[in-house]
């Protein structure tokens, strides 16, 4: 069993304990253990084999025993006991935005609701009205939340699909029969959600590749197996298609199966005007049928008179015109980033010390790392008081002597309160190097109120970055209702940066809004919002969003050297006595 499977079991235990209204600390322990397993870079089987389970943060003797039991038997006895008390469908209700454990329990006890489908039917019939605390607005919000859940079932978030795909690539590329292998489809274009995974391979022995692929332990069901194509259902639920193609047409097949469909239509229309035909088998002269390109993807584009267009741009969003006019952007790369501007420690809801965060950032070669723990209003996250913040600043300044090769930026993820004021007074914010502000409450504020709230926060001279600006959680929670045009205009007016949050469940801003920001001259920060050290690696997902948004190095503030970053941050803020 892989890390994600064990983590899923722990999350389910926590869900069931929440429904039972069990001990909050016990629930939190299972959540923390699940999060740590999700971020673990080493396979849990290997950790268990060397006796290292207890070394994983949040895994004590009891949880280590449950992990060993799951690895040996595929089950957890404790989870089976909880499942016997509460139907699985009741837990699924909690995935609906606005339906917490108490509501799920109420729905089950009062109306025997044990599935999302049953809940939707009863809500549409008006049968939820009259339950304690349930009004028409509640019903409307539940129905809206159900649509979010349904959409999430159909597509897998990029942050979940990409590791699964990379694991398959790592296995297959080790086969001596595999000559070339690549991801294709929407996953290669780094769409924020994907319906399936596409893999392309060249090999002289396709039958051997098919046999190995369809017998992998990751396979839960073989849907199709032919001579050069196989389709399986991954045990995580997503469909995976594997095609073996000839080496002479690998580039053409890669271009074709990467898509998007609308991009490919534009490419083919352009080729036709030059007397050429493009297919997954190559580029051919229309008149003679002679193939003139196909082995490499770049040569496919060059053969029809276009420069190579990076996969992330292939959405028929102006990339063909830009290519023709020599305006394709020099897209941002992961190596361009000099630091991370949103990270937490165990002073609030992070799972590591200040020192551990700093050392992890140093190992990544960063020039700077921020400590941006939650402010006091974020009580669920253990937000700190002003007094505690000043204590932390002092600790950070003292640690700078111990770590001279990296700058530790004193920061805060400071809550934007309902009226747009900041959770810390200006006198505290003035002590910080970088101030990150964010919404963590009152998500259902009306559009005018939410917009005014954010614009007011951006007008604060001590604020620098607006984190996860739409508040969405992919497949779990819709963005809050806000006028993003007004937010972008305020960011430009006040010289603030908006964040691309690289947490797999957020990717917020999305590529559409990030491109709008670029076009308006609004700067972006790409940050990981790290709570567990392995989440620092999520920066690659943020860079993927940035590339889809056509962002270049100059558009992103954490590509700047430290002196430029601090000059930008401090140039206009007044001094506080």
């Amino acid at each position: 069993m892989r890390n994600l499977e064990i983590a899923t079991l722990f999350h389910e235990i926590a869900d069931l304990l929440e429904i039972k209204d069990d001990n909050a600390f016990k629930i939190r322990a299972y959540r923390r253990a699940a999060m740590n397993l999700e971020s673990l870079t080493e396979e849990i089987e290997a950790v268990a084999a060397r006796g290292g389970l207890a070394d994983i943060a949040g895994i004590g003797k009891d949880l280590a025993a449950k992990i060993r039991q799951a690895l040996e038997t595929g089950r957890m006895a404790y989870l089976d006991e909880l499942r016997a008390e509460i139907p699985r469908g009741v837990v699924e209700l909690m995935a609906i935005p606005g339906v917490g454990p108490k509501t799920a329990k109420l729905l089950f006890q009062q109306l025997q609701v044990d599935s999302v489908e049953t809940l939707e039917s009863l809500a549409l019939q008006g049968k939820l009205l009259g339950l304690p605390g349930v009004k028409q607005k509640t019903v409307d919000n539940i129905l809206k939340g159900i649509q979010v859940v349904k959409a999430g079932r159909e597509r897998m978030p990029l942050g979940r699909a990409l590791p699964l795909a990379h694991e398959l690539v790592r296995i297959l590329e080790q086969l001596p029969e595999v000559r070339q292998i690549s991801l294709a489809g929407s996953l290669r274009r780094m769409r924020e959600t994907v319906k399936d995974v596409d893999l392309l391979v060249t090999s002289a022995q396709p039958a051997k590749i098919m046999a190995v692929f369809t017998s992998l332990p990751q396979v839960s069901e073989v849907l199709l197996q032919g001579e050069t194509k196989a389709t399986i259902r991954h045990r995580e639920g997503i469909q995976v298609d594997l095609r073996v193609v000839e080496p002479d047409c690998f580039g053409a097949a890669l271009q074709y199966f990467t898509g998007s469909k609308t991009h490919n239509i534009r490419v083919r229309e352009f080729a036709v005007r030059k007397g050429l035909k493009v297919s997954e088998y190559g580029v051919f002269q229309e008149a003679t049928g002679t193939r003139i390109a196909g082995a490499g993807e770049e040569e496919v584009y060059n053969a029809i008179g276009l420069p190579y267009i990076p996969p992330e741009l292939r959405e028929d969003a102006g990339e063909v015109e830009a290519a023709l006019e020599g305006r394709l952007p020099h897209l941002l790369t992961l190596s361009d980033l000099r630091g991370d501007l949103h990270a937490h420690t165990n002073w609030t809801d992070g799972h590591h010390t200040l020192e551990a965060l700093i050392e992890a950032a140093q190992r990544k070669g960063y020039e700077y790392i921020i400590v941006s723990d939650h402010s006091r209003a974020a009580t669920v996250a253990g937000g700190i008081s002003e007094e505690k913040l000043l204590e932390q600043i002092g600790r950070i300044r003292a640690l700078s002597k111990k770590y001279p090769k990296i700058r530790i930026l004193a920061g805060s993820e400071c809550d934007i309160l309902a009226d747009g004021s900041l959770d810390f007074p200006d006198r505290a914010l003035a002590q910080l190097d970088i101030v990150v502000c964010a919404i963590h409450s009152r998500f259902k504020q009306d559009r005018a109120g939410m917009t005014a709230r954010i614009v007011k926060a951006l007008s604060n001279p001590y604020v620098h970055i607006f984190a996860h600006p739409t508040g969405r959680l992919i497949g779990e929670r819709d963005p809050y209702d806000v006028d993003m045009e007004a937010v972008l205009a305020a960011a430009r007016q006040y010289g603030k940066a908006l964040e691309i949050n690289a947490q797999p469940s957020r990717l917020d801003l999305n590529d559409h809004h990030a491109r709008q920001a670029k076009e308006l001259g609004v700067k972006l920060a790409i940050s990981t919002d790290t709570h567990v050290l392995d989440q620092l690696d999520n920066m690659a997902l943020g860079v993927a969003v940035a590339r889809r948004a056509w962002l270049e190095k100059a558009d992103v503030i954490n590509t700047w050297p430290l002196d430029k970053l601090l000059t930008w941050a401090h140039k206009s803020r007044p001094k506080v006595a």
Side-chain angles (χ1 to χ4, degrees), residues 337-345 352-373 392-393 395-397 399-400 403-412 432-436 465 499 526-539 557-558 560-563 565-566:
L337 297 175
R338 294 172 178 257
D340 197 332
L341 296 175
H342 189 168
H344 298 274
T345 73
H352 46 259
T353 63
L354 285 166
E355 291 88 344
L357 174 64
I358 297 161
E359 290 164 10
Q362 279 194 151
R363 289 192 294 272
K364 297 191 79 65
Y366 283 156
E367 184 179 339
Y368 44 84
I369 182 69
I370 199 171
V371 177
S372 54
D373 280 316
Q392 186 185 69
I393 294 170
R395 176 66 179 150
I396 288 169
R397 302 303 185 215
L399 282 172
S400 63
Y403 299 100
K405 294 183 179 180
I406 187 170
R407 174 64 180 269
I408 314 158
L409 299 171
S412 171
L432 299 169
D433 297 309
I434 297 285
V435 175
V436 179
I465 302 168
E499 179 186 74
I526 305 174
S527 305
T528 61
D529 195 358
T530 284
H531 289 74
V532 177
L533 290 179
D534 286 341
Q535 292 175 351
L536 289 169
D537 293 335
N538 287 336
M539 189 66 85
I557 65 172
N558 47 321
W560 295 346
L562 177 65
D563 57 351
L565 177 68
L566 292 179

Side-chain angles (χ1 to χ4, degrees), residues 16 20 75-86:
L16 291 166
K20 286 168 58 69
R75 306 186 69 84
M76 285 186 190
Y78 181 52
L79 177 56
D80 289 340
E81 294 171 11
L82 292 172
R83 284 172 173 169
E85 295 181 53
I86 303 167

Side-chain angles (χ1 to χ4, degrees), residues 114 151 202 211 261 335 353 554 561:
D114 59 0
T202 62
K261 184 182 294 186
S335 62
T353 63

Side-chain angles (χ1 to χ4, degrees), residues 107 111 119 121-131 134 139:
L107 291 166
L111 297 173
L119 178 59
S121 176
L122 292 174
L124 291 170
Q125 295 174 53
K127 293 184 177 180
L128 302 185
L129 295 172
L131 291 176
V134 177
V139 175

Side-chain angles (χ1 to χ4, degrees), residues 23 28 33 38 334 395 403 425 553:
N23 183 283
R28 197 173 300 144
E38 288 169 344
L334 186 60
R395 176 66 179 150
Y403 299 100
K553 185 176 179 180

Side-chain angles (χ1 to χ4, degrees), residues 22-31:
D22 211 307
N23 183 283
F25 292 102
K26 186 177 180 182
I27 295 167
R28 197 173 300 144
Y30 279 103
R31 295 277 187 223

